[in-house]
């Protein structure tokens, strides 16, 4: 047995590269990523011509490893070239991505030392760091001391966690589902719909509240629908508002909706995945008034704080509500949950073992301070205003003054089908690839979207888009 063990050990030890091997691989990775960053301004935001990553399949997972050169080449050609480049400041479609560098280094450290961030007992420092970040965000949105939350992988998961928490917070059992009512709008993000299905609530009555001309929920219609549902013997229990819809960046009237939700006993959830961090700016703070009224809300650092993908946040006004849905008991964990001074993520979230996500947020916040984030968000709001004014000067139609950093616009040609014209125009922009915009349908019309949230988007990029639009439309 000892001989066999020693034999296995020899091969197993390859999993711990020697310092020289670490150095070699790390140098390749650093060179590659440095080159990527040095050229980020000239790399396309969208690459249509580079295949679809099929080359990866020519190199299957196998018993023998390959060299770092070969691995990087596979990544370069198959992963890092085709499709959308969210790291580019030319990404002005959907909701743009980020990728601030110090987050990558935070991830690197978190992965190297692999602290167990699920349980205070296992890593008091890691848990304290995550709780401190959650506290920081609770303070930002005006939540009280008893609030809490989770660092999740994404806004979608955060919404799902909130929907489940709302369900349990209003004690909706399966027998109650058919007579329980959820209030959304047609602008509500589809991850709420997913959350509703995952939470076993898809047989609830779903009411879509009328929108005003700026695609905001109309509080009066909400109040009327709740009232008539109550009169009909139904059980209104959940209202979902958006603080920055993905489509047009509309902010529902948060304060009025909050008052109606409270009055009717409904759980109030606000989806601020896209818009939430604008609260760091003076203008955003004004516009997001009422966020603090929510029983739960979500906010996405991988959108509004420009982090690389993989960080969403759900905040709940009373952390006890999260514990009701997610606390657990396991005999094998008996040592972990005695006398703690901090709540552990595992007790108030669906996860147990998890990535130490806090470090990818903490490190950039500490190294940069908050000021550059605030400036960058203010810049995005102003760029949207600038684009809105300039695109109209070019003869484009744009009816909605931007509330945050999304502008919708279309060109109406003197003859011919306007939808077709705008589709062609958008495809021209995408084919060129230096800037990327996406589209939506507003009141049945094909409409282009300018969504400004990349920390790398500055005036020059917006001017380039305006110039392309002017040339192509002509
Ligand atoms: C992006 C977005 C989501 C989903 O968040 P992911 O992080 O993409 O899962 C939810 N709601 C709104 C309003 C969003 O913009």
């Amino acid at each position: 047995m000892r001989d066999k063990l020693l034999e296995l050990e020899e091969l197993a030890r390859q999993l711990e590269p020697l310092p020289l091997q670490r150095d070699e691989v790390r140098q390749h990775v650093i060179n590659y990523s440095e080159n990527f960053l040095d050229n980020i301004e000239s790399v396309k935001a969208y690459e249509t011509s580079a295949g679809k990553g099929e080359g990866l399949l020519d190199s299957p997972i196998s018993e023998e490893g390959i060299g770092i050169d070969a691995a990087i080449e596979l990544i370069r050609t198959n992963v890092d070239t085709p499709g959308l480049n969210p790291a580019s400041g030319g990404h002005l479609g959907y909701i743009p991505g980020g990728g601030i560098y110090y987050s990558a280094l935070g991830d690197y450290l978190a992965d190297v030392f692999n602290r167990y961030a699920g349980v205070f007992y296992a890593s008091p420092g890691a848990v304290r760091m995550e709780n401190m970040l959650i506290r920081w965000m609770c303070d930002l949105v005006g939540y009280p001391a008893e609030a809490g939350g989770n660092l999740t992988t994404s806004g979608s998961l955060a919404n799902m966690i909130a929907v489940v928490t709302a369900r349990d917070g209003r004690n909706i059992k399966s027998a109650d589902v058919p007579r329980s009512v959820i209030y959304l709008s047609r602008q509500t993000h589809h991850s709420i719909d997913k959350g509703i299905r995952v939470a076993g609530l898809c047989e609830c009555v779903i009411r879509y509240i009328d929108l005003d001309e700026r695609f905001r929920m109309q509080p009066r219609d909400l109040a009327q629908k709740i009232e008539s549902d109550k009169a009909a013997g139904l059980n209104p229990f959940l209202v979902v508002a958006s603080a920055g819809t993905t489509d047009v960046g509309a902010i529902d009237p948060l304060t009025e909706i909050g008052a109606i939700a409270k009055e009717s006993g409904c759980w109030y959830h606000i989806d601020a995945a896209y818009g939430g961090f604008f609260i760091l700016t003076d203008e955003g703070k004004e516009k997001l008034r009422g966020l603090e009224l929510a029983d739960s809300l979500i906010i996405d650092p991988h959108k509004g704080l420009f982090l690389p993908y993989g960080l969403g946040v759900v905040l709940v006004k009373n952390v006890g509500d999260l514990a009701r849905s997610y606390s657990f008991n396991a005999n094998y964990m008996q040592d972990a949950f005695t006398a703690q001074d901090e709540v552990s993520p595992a007790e108030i979230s669906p996860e147990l073992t998890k990535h130490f996500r806090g470090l990818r947020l903490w490190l950039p916040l500490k190294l940069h301070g908050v000021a550059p984030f605030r400036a960058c968000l203010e810049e995005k709001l102003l760029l949207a205003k600038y684009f809105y004014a300039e695109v109209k000067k070019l003869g484009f139609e744009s009816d909605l003054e931007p509330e945050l950093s999304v502008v919708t616009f279309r060109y109406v040609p003197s003859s011919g089908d306007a939808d077709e014209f705008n589709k062609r125009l958008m495809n021209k922009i995408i084919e060129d690839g230096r800037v990327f915009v996406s589209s939506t349908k507003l009141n049945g019309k094909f409409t282009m979207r300018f969504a400004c949230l990349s920390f790398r988007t500055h005036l020059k990029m917006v001017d380039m888009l305006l110039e392309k639009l002017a040339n192509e439309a002509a």
Side-chain angles (χ1 to χ4, degrees):
M1 199 186 281
R2 292 181 63 88
D3 286 347
K4 180 67 183 170
L5 281 169
L6 292 173
E7 184 191 323
L8 287 171
E9 177 177 330
E10 199 183 318
L11 197 53
R13 274 185 178 274
Q14 288 186 8
L15 295 178
E16 186 75 271
L18 299 170
L20 271 174
Q21 295 171 309
R22 286 205 300 270
D23 193 47
E24 193 210 335
V25 171
R26 187 174 52 239
Q27 276 316 320
H28 275 85
V29 170
I30 300 276
N31 289 345
Y32 182 70
S33 54
E34 281 302 304
N35 191 46
F36 177 89
L37 291 174
D38 287 347
N39 291 300
I40 190 66
E41 299 217 2
S42 56
V43 166
K44 283 185 170 186
Y46 195 81
E47 182 60 77
T48 41
S49 60
K52 295 181 178 174
E54 286 119 329
L56 287 172
L57 308 180
D58 299 335
S59 179
I61 305 301
S62 59
E63 286 294 305
E64 297 286 322
I66 63 173
I68 182 66
D69 304 44
I72 287 215
E73 206 38 48
L74 282 168
I75 294 169
R76 180 203 311 280
T77 46
N78 296 291
V79 182
D80 204 17
T81 311
L84 190 55
N85 180 2
S88 160
H91 182 357
L92 296 161
Y94 308 109
I95 299 292
I100 48 175
Y101 184 62
Y102 296 153
S103 267
L105 299 183
D107 276 343
Y108 177 76
L109 289 175
D111 291 358
V112 169
F113 55 62
N114 198 27
R115 284 282 160 177
Y116 196 95
V119 176
F120 183 72
Y121 165 85
S123 185
V127 168
R128 224 182 262 283
M129 181 185 282
E130 295 205 338
N131 285 350
M132 173 184 161
L133 290 164
I134 285 168
R135 187 65 247 161
W136 175 68
M137 289 180 276
C138 285
D139 288 342
L140 279 183
V141 302
Y143 262 7
E146 59 276 16
N150 301 161
L151 302 183
T152 71
T153 51
S154 67
S156 297
L157 260 293
N159 268 335
M160 190 209 82
I161 291 168
V163 171
V164 168
T165 309
R167 178 195 70 193
D168 299 347
R170 288 298 174 266
N171 199 25
I172 308 294
K173 305 288 185 218
S174 19
D176 308 316
V177 164
R179 53 174 286 276
S180 297
V181 194
I182 301 174
Y183 301 86
L184 312 175
S185 91
R186 294 283 178 196
Q187 282 273 314
T188 306
H189 192 269
H190 54 80
S191 57
I192 289 285
D193 186 58
K194 274 193 204 172
I196 287 171
R197 279 184 280 151
V198 173
L201 297 173
C202 66
E203 285 158 322
C204 284
V205 180
I206 310 275
R207 301 261 184 251
Y208 292 96
I209 304 307
D210 291 347
L211 298 172
D212 67 11
E213 72 294 343
R214 303 196 48 163
F215 301 92
R216 295 174 300 203
M217 220 183 231
Q218 293 202 19
R220 195 185 316 153
D221 186 50
L222 174 66
Q224 281 167 359
K225 284 197 163 92
I226 291 179
E227 200 175 316
S228 68
D229 284 336
K230 282 198 165 167
L234 297 174
N235 175 34
F237 84 98
L238 171 60
V239 175
V240 179
S242 308
T245 64
T246 315
D247 212 13
V248 301
I251 302 173
D252 288 327
L254 304 178
T255 306
E256 286 166 271
I257 295 173
I260 296 166
K262 185 163 186 205
E263 159 93 28
S264 62
C266 284
W267 183 279
Y268 185 26
H269 176 66
I270 299 180
D271 180 346
Y274 153 60
F277 279 109
F278 284 107
I279 205 162
L280 285 170
T281 69
D282 288 341
E283 184 184 341
K285 191 175 285 174
E286 198 59 39
K287 288 186 165 167
L288 293 167
R289 211 170 266 187
L291 211 52
E292 73 287 354
L293 300 174
D295 295 297
S296 57
L297 64 90
I298 75 157
I299 180 167
D300 256 5
H302 68 196
K303 286 180 178 164
L305 286 182
F306 323 112
L307 258 63
Y309 292 139
L311 198 66
V313 174
V314 57
L315 301 178
V316 176
K317 191 179 244 164
N318 186 337
V319 71
D321 286 312
L322 275 178
R324 182 193 295 111
S325 293
Y326 297 106
S327 63
F328 70 103
N329 246 316
N331 291 339
Y332 74 91
M333 297 284 290
Q334 63 185 1
D335 313 320
F337 290 116
T338 48
Q340 320 164 53
D341 17 5
E342 286 276 325
V343 62
S344 293
E347 298 172 286
I348 54 164
S349 91
E351 292 182 294
L352 176 58
T353 306
K354 70 182 199 72
H355 180 52
F356 175 22
R357 300 180 186 112
L359 200 49
R360 68 201 324 266
L361 178 56
W362 184 87
L363 192 62
L365 283 173
K366 290 304 290 176
L367 296 185
H368 290 300
V370 176
F373 289 92
R374 180 176 290 116
C376 196
L377 286 162
E378 202 173 322
E379 181 195 24
K380 304 292 104 76
L381 292 174
L382 204 55
L383 282 173
K385 289 188 176 72
Y386 172 77
F387 179 81
Y388 173 71
E390 295 298 316
V391 84
K392 291 212 298 191
K393 282 188 207 158
L394 295 176
F396 283 75
E397 206 176 78
S398 182
D399 300 333
L400 304 173
E401 200 182 312
E403 201 146 34
L404 294 170
S405 67
V406 176
V407 182
T408 52
F409 62 101
R410 70 198 305 260
Y411 195 83
V412 184
S414 51
S415 64
D417 184 287
D419 279 7
E420 282 309 314
F421 184 92
N422 283 279
K423 264 181 222 168
R424 271 193 295 143
L425 183 55
M426 189 183 84
N427 286 334
K428 286 276 184 207
I429 306 277
I430 294 175
E431 268 166 38
D432 174 78
R434 282 175 298 167
V435 277
F436 177 86
V437 292
S438 60
S439 72
T440 184
K441 257 207 163 94
L442 288 185
N443 302 320
K445 294 176 187 163
F446 183 94
T447 306
M448 280 183 272
R449 287 172 72 258
F450 164 93
C452 189
L453 198 63
S454 165
F455 70 106
R456 292 195 174 107
T457 303
H458 306 294
L459 185 58
K460 198 169 122 193
M461 191 62 86
V462 176
D463 280 338
M464 182 163 82
L465 172 62
L466 286 162
E467 194 187 315
K468 287 253 13 137
L469 284 168
N471 292 343
E472 294 295 348

